[in-house]
Amino acid sequence: MDEEYDVIVLGTGLTECILSGIMSVNGKKVLHMDRNPYYGGESSSITPLEELYKRFQLLEGPPETMGRGRDWNVDLIPKFLMANGQLVKMLLYTEVTRYLDFKVVEGSFVYKGGKIYKVPSTETEALASNLMGMFEKRRFRKFLVFVANFDENDAKTFEGVDPQSTSMREVYRKFDLGQDVIDFTGHALALYRTDDYLDQPCLETINRIKLYSESLARYGKSPYLYPLYGLGELPQGFARLSAIYGGTYMLNKPVDDIIMENGKVVGVKSEGEVARCKQLICDPSYIPDRVRKAGQVIRIICILSHPIKNTNDANSCQIIIPQNQVNRKSDIYVCMISYAHNVAAQGKYIAIASTTVETAEPEKEVEPALELLEPIDQKFVAISDLYEPIDDGSESQVFCSCSYDATTHFETTCNDIKDIYKRMAGSAFDFENMKRKQNDVFGEADQ
């Protein structure tokens, strides 16, 4: 371990593992350590089921009706992948897809007036949906066509909208869309967590809706994918990638000290030895004095013996409860997966409700979601602090990731990864460049 590395990474959460993989592919010498004996840090999958009960101090353990403990892989932080999103691109470009199998999530639903409805995302679905009246459907269809044809480099597609200055609120007004439609467009298609986006330039929102539609177009049922055996497979895939390129991994390795000289990181001390480095990547738990608390997330893991009502018996789905529908500032999310993804015993379903905490009684805040899941066999309640780094790392060369937020997809995590990469490398993350490096190692030219 007494060696010099370009980059040392502490923690094997998804953000850290992806960055470690990218740095290794870019020819950096990487040492990756984790104080835990397992991969994934905050974002790990827990198996067997007995381990989950222990983790939440439920000492009686699971009843026999839960089936075999080792049939379970329960994600502590549930998220889906957008089929055309940034994480899937990272997986494809780095060829981590070799190690993983994905299934399409069967449906995306939105909550309105106490009921759930399938999110209409194609013209045909929009016209058949019960979410809107007949005239509203026509206006919504016009809006979808406008978004699909919109090209920020071609002014002919703008229809009088300026992508840099027209706000999204004005675009909705232009198409005369009502509040319910605005709710599900902003929260279930563009996947915003609050309504702050309404007064910002519309380009970002239009691109988000395009991403949703393009992701949906790839597989048809929903725009989301989920890996068999749970999200714990993702960090391990990137860890393998890093190892192929000469990265060194050490689990179960305590971190005693991060060594600084003149305000700049020079190494990490563990069990009496020092590994030297030029740059350090870590999650907030390794540098508590360099992060600030930015809020809390509540996640309730629920084990069910039935699919969620009104979802056509889907064995996986996402439900978004827009904040307006339940008088909140931030949305409530439900992700449901099941035995079909090799994460639960036969006939069992795992639904996880999550939201950003706004009051002193977080459990009450997710009640609208829990009501949709009844009856619930067992609940596991986790309230986590959200941390963010207090500086950008340019002086110390210590680059810290942000905690995983309440959203049920990885787009915000990918933004954090690209942001850290840019601060470390001094240039934006370039997928194409990465692909070329890949070919050098495997000797595969583009056919």
Side-chain angles (χ1 to χ4, degrees):
M1 184 176 147
D2 285 330
E3 279 186 65
E4 173 90 36
Y5 295 89
D6 294 314
V7 182
I8 293 180
V9 185
L10 303 179
T12 49
L14 184 64
T15 306
E16 288 73 33
C17 285
I18 293 179
L19 282 163
S20 163
I22 292 169
M23 292 298 169
S24 301
V25 171
N26 284 352
K28 301 271 191 227
K29 186 174 176 189
V30 177
L31 169 65
H32 201 146
M33 296 160 55
D34 194 322
R35 62 168 92 85
N36 296 313
Y38 53 84
Y39 281 102
E42 292 283 297
S43 55
S44 60
S45 302
I46 302 295
T47 183
L49 188 60
E50 289 74 9
E51 198 55 46
L52 185 71
Y53 274 73
K54 241 185 259 166
R55 198 182 175 100
F56 284 89
Q57 272 97 44
L58 296 166
L59 302 176
E60 72 280 7
E64 279 183 17
T65 51
M66 294 289 183
R68 282 192 317 187
R70 64 176 183 278
D71 288 343
W72 294 80
N73 279 294
V74 183
D75 297 328
L76 294 178
I77 296 183
K79 285 183 187 282
F80 292 147
L81 291 80
M82 295 288 280
N84 224 18
Q86 305 180 77
L87 181 52
V88 170
K89 284 186 178 145
M90 287 182 191
L91 289 165
L92 290 170
Y93 282 122
T94 53
E95 296 190 354
V96 168
T97 37
R98 291 175 174 192
Y99 312 120
L100 299 163
D101 277 324
F102 288 94
K103 256 192 159 162
V104 180
V105 171
E106 291 197 345
S108 185
F109 296 84
V110 64
Y111 179 96
K112 175 190 160 190
K115 291 204 182 86
I116 53 178
Y117 298 86
K118 187 162 189 332
V119 175
S121 32
T122 60
E123 290 174 41
T124 337
E125 277 193 0
L127 294 174
S129 168
N130 303 336
L131 261 174
M132 304 167 270
M134 203 172 92
F135 295 111
E136 187 93 273
K137 284 178 183 171
R138 288 182 189 165
R139 294 195 289 268
F140 180 61
R141 181 171 171 266
K142 266 193 189 142
F143 169 74
L144 281 182
V145 171
F146 161 73
V147 168
N149 295 333
F150 193 91
D151 175 356
E152 59 188 287
N153 303 314
D154 179 0
K156 290 201 285 293
T157 65
F158 290 3
E159 296 185 24
V161 168
D162 178 341
Q164 303 300 344
S165 65
T166 309
S167 74
M168 201 57 210
R169 198 184 292 276
E170 292 169 71
V171 175
Y172 288 144
R173 204 172 293 140
K174 171 183 163 73
F175 288 94
D176 198 18
L177 299 179
Q179 188 56 50
D180 282 344
V181 176
I182 291 174
D183 270 357
F184 83 72
T185 304
H187 295 267
L189 298 181
L191 301 172
Y192 283 106
R193 285 172 286 167
T194 65
D195 269 348
D196 298 348
Y197 78 95
L198 285 169
D199 297 308
Q200 289 160 357
C202 60
L203 180 62
E204 162 84 357
T205 306
I206 289 173
N207 284 336
R208 282 177 171 225
I209 299 170
K210 275 174 115 71
L211 167 65
Y212 190 99
S213 311
E214 287 159 6
S215 297
L216 188 89
R218 290 186 70 160
Y219 299 104
K221 285 182 179 173
S222 85
Y224 301 110
L225 302 174
Y226 182 81
L228 291 183
Y229 300 104
L231 296 174
E233 296 294 295
L234 289 171
Q236 292 185 53
F238 281 98
R240 285 180 200 146
L241 174 80
S242 182
I244 290 173
Y245 286 86
T248 307
Y249 267 77
M250 295 181 181
L251 291 179
N252 220 351
K253 192 85 178 121
V255 174
D256 304 328
D257 198 12
I258 292 169
I259 300 167
M260 310 291 289
E261 278 174 17
N262 306 324
K264 191 169 178 299
V265 69
V266 293
V268 172
K269 186 175 183 186
S270 170
E271 298 175 316
E273 295 181 301
V274 174
R276 301 185 74 75
C277 67
K278 301 182 184 80
Q279 293 181 307
L280 180 82
I281 301 171
C282 62
D283 71 44
S285 70
Y286 286 88
I287 49 166
D289 53 335
R290 289 175 177 270
V291 293
R292 62 171 158 248
K293 187 171 161 181
Q296 285 186 313
V297 173
I298 177 167
R299 299 183 176 93
I300 300 192
I301 301 171
C302 302
I303 295 179
L304 318 175
S305 300
H306 58 87
I308 299 172
K309 290 183 208 63
N310 306 323
T311 59
N312 305 330
D313 291 346
N315 61 32
S316 56
C317 67
Q318 180 198 45
I319 303 167
I320 293 181
I321 303 179
Q323 29 73 293
N324 266 340
Q325 296 288 331
V326 283
N327 299 323
R328 292 173 50 76
K329 285 204 270 305
S330 30
D331 294 355
I332 304 173
Y333 298 93
V334 176
C335 295
M336 196 268 285
I337 49 215
S338 66
Y339 60 94
H341 306 85
N342 305 357
V343 294
Q346 188 63 30
K348 297 288 183 187
Y349 300 78
I350 303 170
I352 307 182
S354 56
T355 191
T356 307
V357 173
E358 293 177 2
T359 68
E361 297 182 277
E363 279 194 62
K364 276 217 171 103
E365 297 183 44
V366 286
E367 265 172 16
L370 298 181
E371 283 165 13
L372 300 173
L373 306 179
E374 295 292 349
I376 297 168
D377 299 350
Q378 179 66 54
K379 281 194 308 203
F380 304 89
V381 180
I383 297 170
S384 320
D385 290 340
L386 291 179
Y387 293 104
E388 58 188 23
I390 46 184
D391 64 71
D392 65 0
S394 53
E395 282 185 27
S396 64
Q397 292 295 298
V398 173
F399 301 92
C400 178
S401 59
C402 296
S403 305
Y404 300 96
D405 61 26
T407 54
T408 52
H409 54 84
F410 278 110
E411 297 306 296
T412 45
T413 304
C414 290
N415 293 340
D416 191 28
I417 289 166
K418 288 184 356 190
D419 187 43
I420 293 174
Y421 179 87
K422 189 174 179 179
R423 282 180 279 150
M424 289 184 72
S427 58
F429 176 67
D430 176 9
F431 287 114
E432 290 304 321
N433 188 24
M434 199 157 165
K435 201 171 182 182
R436 279 199 293 279
K437 292 237 170 55
Q438 191 78 36
N439 293 338
D440 299 343
V441 171
F442 288 113
E444 298 163 0
D446 283 338
Q447 300 302 320

